[in-house]
Amino acid sequence: MKIIMHIDVNSAFLSWTSVENIKTGRGPDLRNVPSIIGGDSATRHGIVVAKSIPAKKYGIKTADTVASAFQRCPDLVMAPPDHGLYTRYSREMMQYIRSYTDMLEQASVDECYIQLDLPTRDAALAIAYQIKDGIRNKLGFTVNIGISDKKVLAKTASDFEKPDKIHTLFSEEIPDKMWHLPIETLFMAGKSSSAKLRGLGIRTIGDLANSDPTIIEAHLKSHGRMLYAFANGIDDRDVNPVREEPKGIGNSETTSHDIRTVEEAFPLIKRLSASVSARMEKKGYLAGTIVLEIKFSDFTKCSRQTPCRFAVKSSEEIENYAIRLYQEIMEQNLGRSIRLIGVRAVKLVKSEELPPEQLSISDIIKPTYKKDQKLQKTLDMIRDKYGESAIHKGKDNINF
DNA sequence: TCTGGGGTCCTAGGACCC
DNA sequence: TCTGGGGTCCTAGGACCC
């Protein structure tokens, strides 16, 4: 029988920091005291990235501000994030789990799905215990494992009682184990969807499962259809062990103080472009489109994108596009101060897959940037003066 | 008290083509 | 001069995940 497991590290960032502290003897075990991994408030990075189980008992939640976490618990212990460390521990864990099966899909740095074909549910439980205890004994941290034959149910089950626990959630267990949970705990039911569902009188996952799906869909579109299916344990997503190509590569940064001038903005855009370029280079991608994102000091967001004339990868090229987009945004938002700038490369192509036809005449002639449409302007002028039929394309695949 | 950074997917509206 | 519907692509914004 097909078995899907969801394996999730308990308080991952916090556990991994603790294991490293124990190894190096340079810090405390944070797991059994109220503690958080948090950013630096002085540089406006002050949010909770991970919390210990004791910290959770104070009502501290991920993405709370560090300040509010300390208000809830003045004795809180805090450590800074270390993403390099997390990547190392993540690799070790995935490698260990692969010794059981290659049918592994990594869902994030600290969680994965595996799919197994086993004779019985008892066999599934036995293997889950082996994996859980193996990780604890060999790597020094604990995981929760959810077992089912559906991804969404395995995922939900792994979030039941923690830490170091295994739970099953098969279809016939749904009414008992899942339907009493608040709607907010359903996978993919975030703030906005939950609020809409509450507005419809839906308070639990069971309420949603037993509601009228046409009403749900009328209010939440295709997302509503998906949530209704999840609430009923319907999920045909497969465990996909093939690493998907990334759709985009980007970096953004919240600045320690608001940006008000181009003199402050340009160096940051330059740095972000250099970082994006280096990451693309490393993975062998070129970008077909560059996106610039801005978060203003009132937290409203704004983004602009532009296709590149030719696929780009160099820091200078990315920076040029990004700066023009920045100027375009700021022309429309004169005098506003900025909290965050992001640069993102999308429409990625593998560098070795670039066809030689890339440099075709239509690529050269096709105007791709608003501010650079000299050709278009000239054409418009001619048409204004001599009429629409005065000039036209000589070949179908050349778009004026 | 003062709100991160990395992503993916969906939708609505407009442009453009047939 | 006006009418039109379907399909596709692009952009900006929003929702969601960890």
Side-chain angles (χ1 to χ4, degrees), chain A residues 69-125:
Chain A
F70 274 98
Q71 277 185 341
R72 289 179 184 276
C73 175
D75 298 328
L76 203 61
V77 183
M78 181 164 90
D82 180 350
H83 290 279
L85 182 81
Y86 309 150
T87 306
R88 292 205 326 263
Y89 277 88
S90 177
R91 281 206 191 110
E92 284 187 35
M93 179 176 83
M94 300 301 164
Q95 195 184 339
Y96 175 75
I97 300 169
R98 280 208 180 83
S99 70
Y100 288 85
T101 178
D102 280 328
M103 274 297 284
L104 180 153
E105 176 184 333
Q106 189 166 348
S108 73
V109 71
D110 73 326
E111 56 178 293
C112 66
Y113 295 93
I114 57 172
Q115 185 176 316
L116 302 156
D117 186 28
L118 295 168
T120 62
R121 290 181 181 181
D122 282 344
L125 267 169

Side-chain angles (χ1 to χ4, degrees), chain A residues 243-264:
Chain A
R243 275 268 262 161
E244 300 285 328
E245 297 283 323
K247 304 274 190 303
I249 296 177
N251 286 106
S252 62
E253 192 175 306
T254 295
T255 51
S256 54
H257 300 286
D258 284 353
I259 287 179
R260 296 174 180 284
T261 64
V262 289
E263 288 78 14
E264 297 170 292

Side-chain angles (χ1 to χ4, degrees), chain A residues 132-194:
Chain A
K132 172 180 85 70
D133 294 338
I135 291 170
R136 193 188 55 213
N137 297 336
K138 288 197 165 66
L139 304 177
F141 54 89
T142 62
V143 300
N144 260 42
I145 300 183
I147 306 175
S148 185
D149 54 356
K150 302 281 192 300
K151 270 183 163 181
V152 69
L153 297 179
K155 165 97 179 157
T156 304
S158 70
D159 209 36
F160 292 166
E161 194 193 1
K162 298 172 187 175
D164 199 24
K165 294 251 181 340
I166 289 168
H167 305 279
T168 63
L169 182 53
F170 290 100
S171 297
E172 74 275 10
E173 300 178 289
I174 289 173
D176 278 354
K177 291 190 175 180
M178 187 166 83
W179 279 357
H180 68 279
L181 296 170
I183 190 64
E184 287 76 13
T185 62
L186 179 63
F187 179 60
M188 292 302 282
K191 224 179 166 185
S192 171
S193 303
S194 300

Side-chain angles (χ1 to χ4, degrees), chain A residues 223-238:
Chain A
H223 195 69
R225 200 186 324 147
M226 181 182 68
L227 293 178
Y228 176 82
F230 284 173
N232 283 289
I234 298 164
D235 181 8
D236 60 7
R237 294 173 304 151
D238 284 318

